[in-house]
Amino acid sequence: MLKINENYLNIKGSYLFAGIAKKVREFSAANPDKKLISMGIGDVTLPLADAVVAEIKAAADEQGRADTFHGYGPEQGYDFLKNAIKDYYLKNTGVELSLNEIFVSDGAKSDVGNMLDIFSKDNVVLIPDPVYPVYVDTNVMDGRKIVYLNANQENGFLPMPDETVDCGIIYLCSPNNPTGAVYSRDQLKKWVDYANSKGAVILFDAAYEAFISDPLLPRSIFEIDGARTCAIEFCSLSKTAGFTGTRCGYTIVPKALSVGGVKLNPLWLRRQTTKFNGVSYIVQKGASAVFSEAGIEQSRKNIEYYRNNAKIIMQTMDELNITYTGGKNSPYVWLKCPSNMGSWEFFDLLLEKANVVGTPGEGFGKNGEGFFRLTSFSNYENTLEAMERIKNILK
Ligand code: PLP
């Protein structure tokens, strides 16, 4: 008889967003005159840059003519986009990549999950808590043993390696979702040394690297000596250039990375060419425009817009004496709920008294209890209004 993958029965339901949606629905039904402001969204709100839209339109026209039509493309991405990514890496991080270390994908979420195909289910996995829930769920689906790394106020939400713990796979997310905390070079060096000494691989999620404003902070793990023998990096145009609905990301698998004498780069290539169709030509053309001079300038302006929203949130937290991480190098502000309130208690207070919706921290892991995530992805006017309302109820 057919057997299912019973590990799926062990995945926790997505209570967080379902719970938020239910509470918002009920509140709105009972208070139809109240205007709610969402400060909890993890999606961008500004549209694609003009340079990207122009390139997408031009590529669509190409697809409509026999002499410029593109059929099946290379699953790992066209060279025109990989060259643009290579140049961006060099300018942005000083890291020199070769083209066959770059894999274009439909986003970081898919690659973070799919990468597990090339690793045994016997590996012990280290996952920070709190963190982006996809790391946990994709490992539960495979039945891997998870060891949690406690991220808390004491360690600035940046847990460091424990030499006594053995593991195979390590997830690091910097700038972090949800805490906005960013590892320094020295801290990442310790992780790289630990991973190399254990023969482990770091899956480094750099989806928010474009939000780093401090020039001293690393934007890529490959800025750290030794990372090419222990790390894979995931990056995304979702937040960098508003591609959440257009879909494009890229993953770097160094050629120097091997496990027990087996190189991981050709393994990932084999996986992708077998199970992944690649990103459409049209989207890849649009993505390449993100890295053009005009595209970089237009994307930078959008990030500045979100950064300004983050500044307004941080100023409000400062005025209210609420401690927080993030905001400066991240679109997320992670705050300690005032008066030792629980995450959901604070959620209810903001919803009912300020008509503002945020995200309770405990949805990202047990260490998120008592914390709350606000995001800078709303528009400027709503961010100002939401912060005024929060000030009014908490002063
Ligand atoms: N990684 C992190 C840490 C995220 O927060 C998100 C989205 O919120 C993603 C990856 C997903 O990125 P993508 O849209 O490229 O799949």
Side-chain angles (χ1 to χ4, degrees), residues 62-139:
E62 280 185 63
Q63 288 297 75
R65 289 198 308 269
D67 58 332
T68 50
F69 171 77
H70 288 74
Y72 286 125
E75 290 88 349
Q76 64 277 34
Y78 284 102
D79 277 358
F80 65 78
L81 177 54
K82 294 204 287 177
N83 271 309
I85 293 168
K86 179 176 149 73
D87 292 349
Y88 173 74
Y89 254 84
L90 193 57
K91 271 193 224 124
N92 194 39
T93 66
V95 171
E96 186 135 22
L97 298 172
S98 58
L99 285 193
N100 58 7
E101 291 179 311
I102 302 169
F103 294 83
V104 173
S105 74
D106 64 353
K109 180 163 87 174
S110 324
D111 276 10
V112 162
N114 293 336
M115 189 57 73
L116 292 172
D117 272 11
I118 69 168
F119 299 117
S120 160
K121 295 183 173 47
D122 299 339
N123 285 294
V124 173
V125 187
L126 276 189
I127 303 183
D129 173 339
V131 88
Y132 180 53
V134 169
Y135 312 152
V136 173
D137 290 349
T138 49
N139 278 288

Side-chain angles (χ1 to χ4, degrees), residues 317-335:
M317 297 305 120
D318 288 338
E319 275 179 48
L320 293 169
N321 269 327
I322 292 177
T323 49
Y324 61 90
T325 50
K328 188 164 182 288
N329 299 291
S330 154
Y332 299 123
V333 175
W334 177 252
L335 58 106

Side-chain angles (χ1 to χ4, degrees), residues 107-109 132 135 173 177 205 207-208 236 238-239 247 332:
K109 180 163 87 174
Y132 180 53
Y135 312 152
C173 178
N177 178 13
D205 189 338
Y208 297 97
S236 169
S238 283
K239 310 298 158 76
R247 308 303 321 150
Y332 299 123

